[in-house]
Amino acid sequence: MIPDKTGHFGAFGGKFVPETLIFALDELEKAYAKAKKDKAFASELKYYLRDYAGRPTPLYFAANLSRKAGAKIYLKREDLLHTGAHKINNTLGQILLARRMNKRRIIAETGAGQHGVATATVCALFGMKCRVYMGEEDIARQRLNVFRMKLLGAEVSRVKSGSRTLKDATSEAIRDWVTNVRDTHYIIGSVVGPHPYPMMVRDFQSVLGAEARRQIMRKEGRLPDYLLACVGGGSNAMGLFYKFFADRSVKFIGVEGAGKGIGSGAHSASLLAGTTGVLHGSKSSLLQDRYGQIKNAHSIAAGLDYPGTGPEHAYYKSTGRARYVAVADRQALEGFKMLSELEGIIPALESAHAIYYLTKMKSYLKKNDIVIVCLSGRGDKDIDIIMEYTPHSRVGNVNLSIAR
């Protein structure tokens, strides 16, 4: 089973942090190991996931999308959860853990804002102080989620350094944690960071994969042929993939952001175009130069705009267990339009990357192939971006011509 006792997924993962954080990580690792064996913890988490977050989410057969793709397409509807994305699964798990460790102050980082909203939500629920770090550029393109976080009582700290996106917000959150480690728990939002975070976040998110497995067996009487999900840090993809890891007939496809094209250098495809290095406490596949300096990433989807990915994804790629591809900004906009018009579901731009990739799979999909796509979030948060990129759009006969 991965990771090993030192938190490594093959050559990836581990703990690469300042000495001041080692004690906090060891404390978290012990607390999580104890909680995993505690039936009361599992029961309480199950209660909040069901009665507060809204689990289980449906596994929806997308008939119109299926006709277009030439196969049976099912959508795992994480967009229907409270707060509008899969992020609430992990934040509920971590806030319960923080309470057991008597940590009363919570910090987090966010790119698309969905993790920030989910963190602010659980902090309001449990009466904890909350500070969310967010890059200045992400604040500008995700204004709705910033407003939601403030409504929920969180303090949103604007990060102006570097690329002013998720990478820099994460760096600021780590600096805060080093300073306030005694009373503060850092809720990392994806399967990244030092051990035990990649394992712990994966475990909390694997509830969606476990549900998908039960649901597809009830609906089709067999396992799917493909699992498809977008990958930034990679938490929704890993949550879906993990419960099917041993089923070798089930193929995994992760979709990264190709931005303006991988050849342009303005992208976030760290698995396809990255090299092995260390960022934010763990070893994984990163966008970096020959000297190990981290390059700026780019994606139209703020949640994919990160120059690295989770170490377990790097392991999956190195072993061939998963295949990773990339979809450009313009193609993601087409995926956004396609799902909106065909199924009446407005997806997050992150998920739209995976939706578009179905058109690339059409050439080899068979009529009875089953594909499960993780719809990780809803697109309300991205409406400003869509309007910016499509200023000529109009109600009715929608013209989504790309403006730039």
Side-chain angles (χ1 to χ4, degrees), residues 113-186:
Q114 291 301 101
H115 174 59
V117 170
T119 302
T121 297
V122 297
C123 285
L125 177 64
F126 291 98
M128 295 200 190
K129 292 181 180 177
C130 179
R131 172 177 283 185
V132 179
Y133 290 90
M134 192 169 188
E136 190 171 49
E137 182 171 329
D138 290 338
I139 285 177
R141 56 181 171 174
Q142 300 290 340
R143 289 182 299 172
L144 176 60
N145 276 340
V146 174
F147 187 63
R148 293 170 74 195
M149 283 183 263
K150 290 180 177 178
L151 282 178
L152 291 160
E155 180 184 350
V156 180
S157 291
R158 182 186 298 265
V159 178
K160 299 180 179 179
S161 58
S163 60
R164 298 171 296 126
T165 58
L166 180 58
K167 170 178 71 71
D168 310 289
T170 304
S171 298
E172 286 302 318
I174 290 174
R175 289 189 188 99
D176 183 318
W177 198 29
V178 170
T179 306
N180 301 290
V181 69
R182 286 183 179 275
D183 68 343
T184 299
H185 175 64
Y186 177 15

Side-chain angles (χ1 to χ4, degrees), residues 59-75:
L59 184 67
Y60 167 69
F61 176 64
N64 298 328
L65 192 60
S66 295
R67 279 191 285 276
K68 185 171 184 67
K72 294 181 177 179
I73 310 300
Y74 284 88
L75 303 177

